[in-house]
Amino acid sequence: MSSGLANIPKTAPFSEEDVALLNRVVGPASAVQRAWLAGFLAGVESVSGQAQPVAQARPAEPLTIVYASESGNSEKLAGDVAKAARKNGLKPTIIDMADLDLPALASAKRLVVIAATWGEGEPPARAIRAYNELMGEGAPRLDGVEFGVLALGDTAYAEFCAIGKVIDERLAALGGKRIVDRVDCDLDFAEPAARWIGDAVKALAPPTGGGRVIEVDFGAKPAASASTDVVEAEIIEHVDLNSSRSDKETIHLALSFEGGAPAYEPGDSLDLYAENDPAYVDELLKLVGLSGDDKLRTEFIKSRDVTTLSLKTIDTYVEKTGHQYVKALLADGQAREWLAGRQLIDLIAEFPIALDAEKLRALTRPLAPRAYSIASSRREVADEAHLLISAVRYESHGRARKGVASNYVAERLKRGGRVRAKLKPNKHFALPAGDKDIIMVGPGTGVAPFRAFVQERRATQAKGRSWLFFGDRSFTHDFLYQLDWQDALKDGSLSRMDVAFSRDTPKKVYVQHKLWDRRADLVAWLDGGAYFYVCGDAKAMAKDVRAALVRAYADVKSLSPEAAEQAVVTLEREKRYLQDTY
Ligand SMILES: Cc1cc2nc3c(=O)[nH]c(=O)nc-3n(C[C@H](O)[C@H](O)[C@H](O)COP(=O)(O)OP(=O)(O)OC[C@H]3O[C@@H](n4cnc5c(N)ncnc54)[C@H](O)[C@@H]3O)c2cc1C
Ligand SMILES: Cc1cc2nc3c(=O)[nH]c(=O)nc-3n(C[C@H](O)[C@H](O)[C@H](O)COP(=O)(O)O)c2cc1C
């Protein structure tokens, strides 16, 4: 380690001479010597002048913290566990489940797992390999490992916190000793998670008594985190990128931040704080007999999730109203099926009952912000951040439905208006060094981060090649950011582009078909060290793209399906196959 790291700063409360003297000793000291010194001084401090406790100091007990995360919440909480653990005499090691060496888990004495659920009850993409290994026959015994699991999820999904639940059961089945009960967190996880972390760390911490534990982690780097405070932005552009004849509406939203945009990097997202459709809230309040209460109306428009319907909502409805029919629905086990495609308003419309404000509040949770990939680079747009937002509209059970945030943007935000936003960094979807080639697969709004990538590469005059696969319904009506791509191809910041417009030909063509068509070049780029990025729809597209890549390897390199699968697994392990899907 370089001695410069341990230099005593000039600002230290010592004379210049003393600083020089100290530097002569501390500067070249080894990590062990510095740790000893830190322990010694801390010990001296604690017994007012008697330099003895150092001899009694015992090493902190190890704690392994594994997180399975896609959008960073579990990862952040893993950091919170580590902080709390250090204060409680534990020496934490944080491991991304993507990097987990499963056999090593058997030697962990204490284990915390924080796991999010994605897709429809699936593990976060990066964690799939380790998750499958954990569930597989080759998983190691975990006899004697003390563990606790914190599950992150969203009650709006049928498979609420499924991955955390399964991991919790699996660790116990492998012989682990559950030392703290699992907690399943909804989107407003901050409080329950903090409580669970406090309990878990207490339960896992070694008994106090004996010497004070002095844990000095010289390896820990201070987090160079960008501010993730909620900030207000002005809307300076609001443009529908689809033609008026498209059946879609995709808004290019340019936000301007007074005092500078949050320090985002290409690949990051912004959490947008939306408001509910006032017409929907009015209908809801009327149904429960609460219209006319303006204060309540404003509260529900601004801050309550009035659309989500989950099993938990139905439970609460029965608890608060005792409604017999809804009770029967639950008792018959039909509730889960019944709520598919329905919203809170359907429950109240079909099983009406008068509610007071408190009961209605209990049926809703806080309105959560929605994430949108940032479609610009600060190096090109300075104080702005651009987003690309597709209005979610559909019909179910005879009612026209509108996604809350996307329609707030499409229908109610206007140029000159303001909106609140918060940076959501994603260091797992970042650009590689400028000399590396990149392949970007982003149909629909999935193309947003790649506009940021291309802008960044232009601004930094990166030498690596870049290749974009884009797709949507129609060339004429849905070619998002068409002019930007043309310019980028002209100035060289984009080397190549392939497009798939599914409704322009009798047979539907998607990006995965284009990948297959270009498989020889694709595999050659990847063999040459290119990075492969996928963004957009998680349900079908991301899986189809991965499958197409496996088939491409098999065909181009004459590999068995297993060997081709292994080639893609290797890309994932090398973190050259990166996804940001939703
Ligand atoms: C990291 C990340 C980045 C993202 N980036 C972008 C982006 O760049 N651009 C973008 O537009 N979106 C992006 N999203 C998605 C975005 O966050 C929102 O989920 C999306 O805009 C919908 O939000 P909403 O509030 O309008 O809809 P909501 O009110 O949340 O409603 C959506 C829900 O409606 C239901 N639903 C939707 N369609 C149907 C249907 N056809 N039939 C039945 N039910 C249906 C589903 O339950 C769905 O979950 C991103 C998401 C993540 C996690
Ligand atoms: C596309 C998408 C799919 C999701 N699927 C589920 C799910 O099936 N079950 C669930 O409980 N939560 C689901 N969630 C909610 C996430 O688990 C939740 O947002 C969690 O806080 C994310 O944690 P992370 O940031 O560590 O990935 C989903 C979220 C998104 C955006």
Side-chain angles (χ1 to χ4, degrees):
M1 190 186 280
S2 100
S3 58
L5 276 180
N7 269 355
I8 308 288
K10 285 205 177 99
T11 48
F14 291 97
S15 70
E16 245 181 72
E17 246 169 58
D18 286 345
V19 168
L21 208 62
L22 284 166
N23 269 332
R24 226 177 300 149
V25 180
V26 179
S30 69
V32 171
Q33 288 170 321
R34 286 197 299 272
W36 183 90
L37 203 57
F40 175 81
L41 292 173
V44 169
E45 187 56 32
S46 73
V47 289
S48 51
Q50 293 174 38
Q52 287 162 13
V54 178
Q56 294 161 13
R58 41 192 177 82
E61 294 281 341
L63 169 70
T64 304
I65 305 164
V66 176
Y67 66 88
S69 185
E70 180 111 14
S71 63
N73 296 335
S74 310
E75 183 172 6
K76 192 201 156 283
L77 291 175
D80 294 349
V81 175
K83 240 184 259 165
R86 274 192 208 100
K87 285 189 192 145
N88 281 274
L90 290 161
K91 182 178 167 50
T93 306
I94 301 180
I95 303 173
D96 185 343
M97 197 150 168
D99 304 321
L100 182 64
D101 172 29
L102 197 63
L105 219 51
S107 56
K109 257 175 97 180
R110 301 175 174 83
L111 172 66
V112 161
V113 178
I114 306 181
T117 299
W118 278 74
E120 301 290 333
E122 292 156 32
R126 294 203 312 278
I128 289 175
R129 179 212 38 99
Y131 177 83
N132 288 341
E133 283 176 20
L134 181 65
M135 297 304 143
E137 281 177 6
R141 293 288 308 167
L142 298 175
D143 298 305
V145 176
E146 295 182 344
F147 77 90
V149 174
L150 180 66
L152 257 57
D154 178 346
T155 46
Y157 287 87
E159 301 299 330
F160 175 55
C161 284
I163 295 305
K165 289 175 186 168
V166 172
I167 290 178
D168 187 42
E169 279 166 23
R170 182 65 174 157
L171 296 178
L174 291 170
K177 184 176 168 202
R178 187 183 295 106
I179 205 98
V180 53
D181 283 340
R182 190 190 72 246
V183 163
D184 300 331
C185 298
D186 203 351
L187 290 183
D188 49 341
F189 57 80
E191 269 179 39
R195 234 176 294 125
W196 184 89
I197 289 171
D199 293 347
V201 165
K202 247 181 245 146
L204 288 160
T208 46
R212 254 189 76 207
V213 174
I214 296 170
E215 169 60 17
V216 183
D217 187 356
F218 282 97
K221 294 185 199 90
S225 58
S227 166
T228 50
D229 295 342
V230 179
V231 284
E232 221 183 60
E234 185 188 335
I235 291 134
I236 55 169
E237 280 171 14
H238 184 287
V239 184
D240 179 5
L241 297 188
N242 298 102
S243 90
S244 56
R245 285 175 48 208
S246 170
D247 45 10
K248 286 180 152 188
E249 189 177 356
T250 315
I251 305 296
H252 163 76
L253 194 72
L255 304 177
S256 171
F257 297 83
E258 244 167 66
Y264 68 83
E265 292 297 328
D268 290 348
S269 301
L270 274 189
D271 261 351
L272 218 64
Y273 290 79
E275 291 183 6
N276 289 300
D277 183 351
Y280 179 103
V281 171
D282 286 341
E283 193 180 343
L284 192 70
L285 292 180
K286 195 168 164 209
L287 279 172
V288 298
L290 284 169
S291 39
D293 185 338
D294 284 349
K295 207 162 150 242
L296 193 70
R297 180 177 186 266
T298 307
E299 178 194 337
F300 273 74
I301 289 174
K302 284 186 181 297
S303 62
R304 303 304 298 177
D305 177 351
V306 291
T307 51
T308 295
L309 181 65
S310 64
L311 276 178
K312 195 169 158 228
T313 328
I314 296 186
D315 274 342
T316 312
Y317 200 64
V318 170
E319 185 198 314
K320 298 283 174 195
T321 66
H323 202 295
Q324 288 309 313
Y325 290 125
V326 184
K327 210 177 205 169
L329 202 65
L330 273 177
D332 297 348
Q334 288 171 14
R336 203 179 160 104
E337 203 182 311
W338 183 83
L339 59 81
R342 287 189 164 90
Q343 297 175 320
L344 178 60
I345 206 156
D346 300 276
L347 176 70
I348 295 171
E350 291 202 32
F351 305 103
I353 204 158
L355 295 173
D356 61 25
E358 209 36 60
K359 284 181 181 154
L360 184 58
R361 220 174 264 123
L363 288 173
T364 64
R365 54 183 186 174
L367 180 58
R370 308 301 202 257
Y372 295 98
S373 310
I374 299 175
S376 55
S377 156
R378 279 188 298 140
R379 287 184 178 78
E380 200 160 297
V381 303
D383 290 342
E384 298 174 16
H386 299 176
L387 304 176
L388 180 66
I389 299 177
S390 168
V392 172
R393 294 178 186 130
Y394 60 97
E395 202 179 301
S396 67
H397 301 288
R399 189 185 271 271
R401 321 264 171 180
K402 291 177 180 180
V404 171
S406 56
N407 284 282
Y408 171 67
V409 170
E411 296 180 357
R412 295 190 297 288
L413 282 189
K414 301 271 177 290
R415 218 171 126 233
R418 301 183 81 77
V419 67
R420 289 185 312 134
K422 188 172 86 157
L423 175 60
K424 202 167 168 59
N426 185 356
K427 62 177 190 281
H428 304 288
F429 200 70
L431 273 168
D435 60 346
K436 302 285 181 203
D437 293 342
I438 54 173
I439 299 162
M440 302 166 282
V441 183
T445 54
V447 84
F450 303 137
R451 185 168 176 267
F453 279 24
V454 168
Q455 287 188 356
E456 178 85 3
R457 287 212 138 188
R458 181 189 294 125
T460 55
Q461 299 188 329
K463 296 282 176 289
R465 295 174 297 170
S466 51
W467 185 357
L468 176 63
F469 288 85
F470 172 72
D472 214 306
R473 287 185 182 164
S474 132
F475 178 97
T476 316
H477 306 297
D478 307 309
F479 200 158
L480 308 176
Y481 290 129
Q482 181 182 8
L483 297 180
D484 293 63
W485 308 128
Q486 282 169 353
D487 287 347
L489 284 165
K490 234 182 267 165
D491 68 29
S493 47
L494 187 60
S495 321
R496 228 177 137 160
M497 182 167 185
D498 278 281
V499 290
F501 290 102
S502 60
R503 301 201 179 173
D504 282 352
T505 46
K507 194 168 168 274
K508 289 199 169 164
V509 182
Y510 295 111
V511 281
Q512 59 268 29
H513 301 122
K514 289 290 161 186
L515 291 171
W516 175 251
D517 291 347
R518 304 282 181 255
R519 59 192 177 283
D521 284 357
L522 196 63
V523 171
W525 276 50
L526 291 167
D527 278 354
Y531 284 63
F532 190 84
Y533 294 86
V534 187
C535 184
D537 172 53
K539 276 195 198 90
M541 185 276 293
K543 294 185 182 90
D544 292 344
V545 163
R546 193 183 182 285
L549 194 60
V550 171
R551 279 189 286 110
Y553 267 104
D555 186 71
V556 174
K557 307 191 107 179
S558 305
L559 299 176
S560 67
E562 294 75 27
E565 166 67 22
Q566 211 41 53
V568 174
V569 168
T570 303
L571 284 180
E572 288 166 341
R573 280 217 182 226
E574 290 173 351
K575 302 205 163 63
R576 286 200 291 129
Y577 190 115
L578 302 164
Q579 292 194 55
D580 191 15
T581 56
Y582 44 86

